Amino acid sequence: MQNFNDYNRSERSRGILLFAFNTNIDYCRIAINCAKLAKKFLKLPVSIVTDTPIDSTEFDHMIIRDRGPDNYREKGQLWRNTDRYCAYELSPYSETIRS
């Protein structure tokens, strides 16, 4: 089990962790808009896990990961969801809302 007082987490910090791996849908643009709204209404820092650096000031942390294999198709839509199970290990916060 992961120790939540890890060296990369601020003690008792709270934040939001978003995942965005582009397919034919621009999930990175959606994540930028989500981060803007989260900061405005929830007043929490927002971090992102992605496979490509994003040119945006909306994110407090950017975690670059290989996107891994395509793991879901429905009605012709490609969706990459491989790292979500690692959300709490990847998060820089001790308390995380993930999306």
Side-chain angles (χ1 to χ4, degrees):
M1 186 169 195
Q2 179 80 16
N3 182 355
F4 288 111
N5 290 323
D6 232 344
Y7 66 91
N8 64 338
R9 293 189 171 108
S10 301
E11 193 167 323
R12 306 210 37 124
S13 63
R14 290 182 170 179
I16 299 167
L17 185 65
L18 302 176
F19 288 80
F21 296 95
N22 282 343
T23 61
N24 56 335
I25 297 172
D26 191 351
Y27 288 107
C28 292
R29 180 169 300 287
I30 294 169
I32 291 168
N33 289 330
C34 182
K36 286 178 187 177
L37 293 171
K39 285 184 167 194
K40 179 178 180 179
F41 292 108
L42 299 177
K43 312 253 188 284
L44 289 172
V46 180
S47 296
I48 188 165
V49 177
T50 186
D51 60 339
T52 308
I54 300 171
D55 186 22
S56 174
T57 59
E58 296 302 326
F59 303 108
D60 297 276
H61 297 93
M62 191 172 302
I63 302 159
I64 306 297
R65 303 269 293 189
D66 289 334
R67 69 178 182 200
D70 302 338
N71 64 343
Y72 185 79
R73 291 179 192 265
E74 182 177 312
K75 298 180 184 176
Q77 293 297 320
L78 181 61
W79 186 34
R80 294 185 177 100
N81 193 22
T82 55
D83 278 344
R84 291 175 143 252
Y85 74 95
C86 299
Y88 297 109
E89 292 172 14
L90 295 171
S91 176
Y93 313 111
S94 59
E95 295 180 28
T96 302
I97 299 171
R98 70 175 175 91
S99 168

